[in-house]
Amino acid sequence: MKKKVLLITIIALTLSLVSFYRYSEEILTAEDTSSAQTQQFTKINIDRATIARFFTQYPSLKKYQPDVNTIYAKRKFKPIWYNRTELIEFANVLYAKVNLLDEEGLNSQLPYKDKFDKIFDQNSADKPSQTDTEIMLSTVYVFYAQKVFHGVDTKKIQETGWFIPRNNISYVNLLDSLLVNPELLSKNENLVFNQYYKLRDVLKKYRQIEKEGGWNQIDSISEAQELKPNDSSKIIGQIRHWLTINGDLKRDSKLNVYDDEMMAAILNFKKRNDFKVNYPITYRHIRQMNIPAEERIKIIMINMERCRWIDPKLARANEYIIINIPSFKLIYKKNGKKELESNVFLGQIITETVVFSANMSSIVFSPYWNIPKSIVESELKIQIEHDKDYLAKNNIEWNNGNPRQKPGINNSLGLVKFVFPNSNNIYLHDTPARSLFDMEYRTFSHGCINLEKAKELAILILKDDPDWPIDRINDAMKGVKETTCILKHKIPIHIGYFTAWVNDSGEICFYNDIYLRDDHLAELIFSETP
């Protein structure tokens, strides 16, 4: 028995010694590896002089040097992109996203792309040094962030005379978040206004359509001619095929008859392209259909650029209003749900409605209209010269030397206006000119926005305010006395210019470029150098 115990003890001791030596060997190996990794890692030396030398070597990237300096200064010039000797996960995410820039609606190519590719080419024998790789990745990050989240250079946009609200993103702070969670770059839709991502999805669809050959041109008809339900012709078959490719029809029956199935598709086509929703097909509708897929792709890219100008927080607000000038539409959303859609009419070509963002702070019922000096000089004085009783006939009085129209049903502002202070002196208001909303092309105002469903909007905004029940709103809108309601919570409002817009059903809507802005922006986008 004693011999057996002794044998077991010897075996256990032997195994313990073997395990100890193996463990010691692993520790020594790990220490040697760690030492080697640390030694290799310390080869990356970043300072302002090193960064300057990098941009001397890659002069086409020099415009990004100030931002790269800022990024490293914040981190006390420590490396960012390496985890010991290996590149961090975000480096690979960034590489993948740069290779898909066309999906972001961008026309730019990264300078020295071949050098950037070698960093991730396992078979390359000519990789940049670790220091150059480190600075290159930071530079490419700035390049990508500026292109995707900022867009065309602000100065170039301002040279056109447009007032552009800009989506200001701190690339330095954004990088902090992305280093912790690289998937934010792929999955998070809070970095750009949410319409951008919807347009990006549609861009893929249209590029696929273009790849498959697009659509054939539809034979034209005369301006006097109309195609109506139950008509039969070769052109109807061509239109049916177009409706199928563009998603208004689920299938192409290849019939040349304008049947019930096609009637529903035509109504959908007209609704999403801002035509009067009825059945006749005219030359104007065919002209719209004959815009090639290539041009549609450009229009989508142009409007993705416009999304970069809007603060993404707008769509995350509990409630907000967006007015799209080319669609002549206002949309009011609350808690993620569309509460109201209304027709509007806007400024004429010579008094274009301006693009900007603001916050609605008050609603004025039965408002006075303080007539702007520009209208006094260009219109009112002429009217008074022709008719000395013009002021009295139009309920206009003098107030401290300035003319104003008194409250009433014929007041040019209607019975309610919505105030969002801005330097352009633009506001949203009701109107007595109700018949103008029946027109397809609604540019009639001096720049302000006339709203068809003004009362409905006021009721919805004040729905949860116990101080403003419907009875009080009705009394305030009798046109007798001006009454102001200060909103308890300001409502973000954006007046935008989108000639392509994806609706809540995921359908792409194309609108007329009423102020002829697309071509100028396209010139900036498609001619911009990196």
Side-chain angles (χ1 to χ4, degrees), residues 157-321:
I157 295 290
Q158 290 175 339
E159 286 171 4
T160 66
W162 304 349
F163 174 78
I164 301 298
R166 179 58 76 183
N167 174 17
N168 291 313
I169 289 181
S170 168
Y171 309 133
V172 178
N173 295 337
L174 177 59
L175 181 56
D176 290 340
S177 300
L178 293 172
L179 289 170
V180 174
N181 184 6
E183 289 192 356
L184 286 175
L185 199 61
S186 301
K187 295 182 178 180
N188 193 302
E189 296 196 355
N190 293 332
L191 300 176
V192 186
F193 180 56
N194 65 353
Q195 178 64 201
Y196 172 88
Y197 300 96
K198 296 179 181 180
L199 286 168
R200 188 175 66 180
D201 289 341
V202 173
L203 180 64
K204 293 179 184 178
K205 172 187 171 183
Y206 272 79
R207 283 202 165 126
Q208 184 61 33
I209 290 173
E210 182 187 36
K211 185 178 179 181
E212 294 172 358
W215 48 78
N216 296 326
Q217 291 284 293
I218 299 167
D219 293 342
S220 185
I221 60 177
S222 69
E223 292 189 23
Q225 188 178 357
E226 288 184 347
L227 300 174
K228 297 179 180 179
N230 299 318
D231 284 353
S232 177
S233 76
K234 174 187 173 184
I235 296 175
I236 290 173
Q238 294 172 341
I239 294 172
R240 183 187 298 277
H241 183 63
W242 186 96
L243 293 169
T244 304
I245 291 176
N246 284 272
D248 297 297
L249 267 176
K250 291 184 178 179
R251 65 182 185 90
D252 184 1
S253 66
K254 301 189 183 303
L255 295 176
N256 290 337
V257 179
Y258 191 172
D259 56 13
D260 290 349
E261 184 181 45
M262 187 166 164
M263 287 165 61
I266 285 294
L267 292 183
N268 194 66
F269 158 76
K270 289 190 174 184
K271 183 177 181 181
R272 67 183 183 84
N273 287 277
D274 201 36
F275 290 113
K276 187 172 288 187
V277 182
N278 53 20
Y279 294 117
I281 303 171
T282 70
Y283 84 100
R284 292 177 61 240
H285 305 130
I286 293 176
R287 184 177 62 187
Q288 181 88 332
M289 293 175 181
N290 277 335
I291 296 173
E294 180 184 1
E295 288 302 311
R296 288 306 193 199
I297 287 170
K298 287 183 179 179
I299 291 170
I300 293 169
M301 292 172 68
I302 287 166
N303 287 278
M304 288 175 71
E305 170 67 24
R306 289 181 173 129
C307 289
R308 297 183 180 100
W309 305 344
I310 303 175
D311 190 334
K313 292 179 183 177
L314 175 68
R316 301 200 300 272
N318 289 333
E319 59 182 327
Y320 67 93
I321 292 169

Side-chain angles (χ1 to χ4, degrees), residues 492-517:
I493 181 168
H494 178 71
I495 302 169
Y497 193 95
F498 292 94
T499 50
W501 181 268
V502 180
N503 62 25
D504 290 342
S505 300
E507 297 175 309
I508 184 69
C509 306
F510 292 106
Y511 304 114
N512 288 321
D513 182 15
I514 61 173
Y515 293 156
L516 304 178
R517 295 182 175 179

Side-chain angles (χ1 to χ4, degrees), residues 410-465:
N410 294 318
N411 184 288
S412 293
L413 305 185
L415 295 172
V416 58
K417 76 172 181 178
F418 304 85
V419 180
F420 36 97
N422 60 89
S423 60
N424 304 289
N425 197 28
I426 287 177
Y427 37 86
L428 175 66
H429 61 82
D430 184 25
T431 178
R434 312 301 297 177
S435 62
L436 296 179
F437 293 111
D438 295 330
M439 309 292 287
E440 280 187 351
Y441 190 82
R442 298 189 293 274
T443 54
F444 305 110
S445 79
H446 294 90
C448 285
I449 302 152
N450 294 245
L451 179 63
E452 184 175 26
K453 297 180 181 178
K455 183 175 181 179
E456 291 91 329
L457 179 61
I459 290 172
L460 284 169
I461 288 175
L462 298 174
K463 182 172 64 174
D464 299 324
D465 189 338

Side-chain angles (χ1 to χ4, degrees), residues 10 78 151 194 221-222 303 331 372 378 431 446 458 471 485 490:
I10 291 169
K78 293 181 179 179
N194 65 353
I221 60 177
S222 69
N303 287 278
I331 294 173
S378 63
T431 178
H446 294 90
D471 288 347
C485 166
K490 293 181 179 180

Side-chain angles (χ1 to χ4, degrees), residues 31 34 44 58 70 115 196 212 240 332 339 428 464 487:
E31 287 177 352
S34 176
I44 303 175
Y58 299 102
T70 301
K115 297 287 186 182
Y196 172 88
E212 294 172 358
R240 183 187 298 277
Y332 169 55
E339 294 284 342
L428 175 66
D464 299 324
L487 297 180

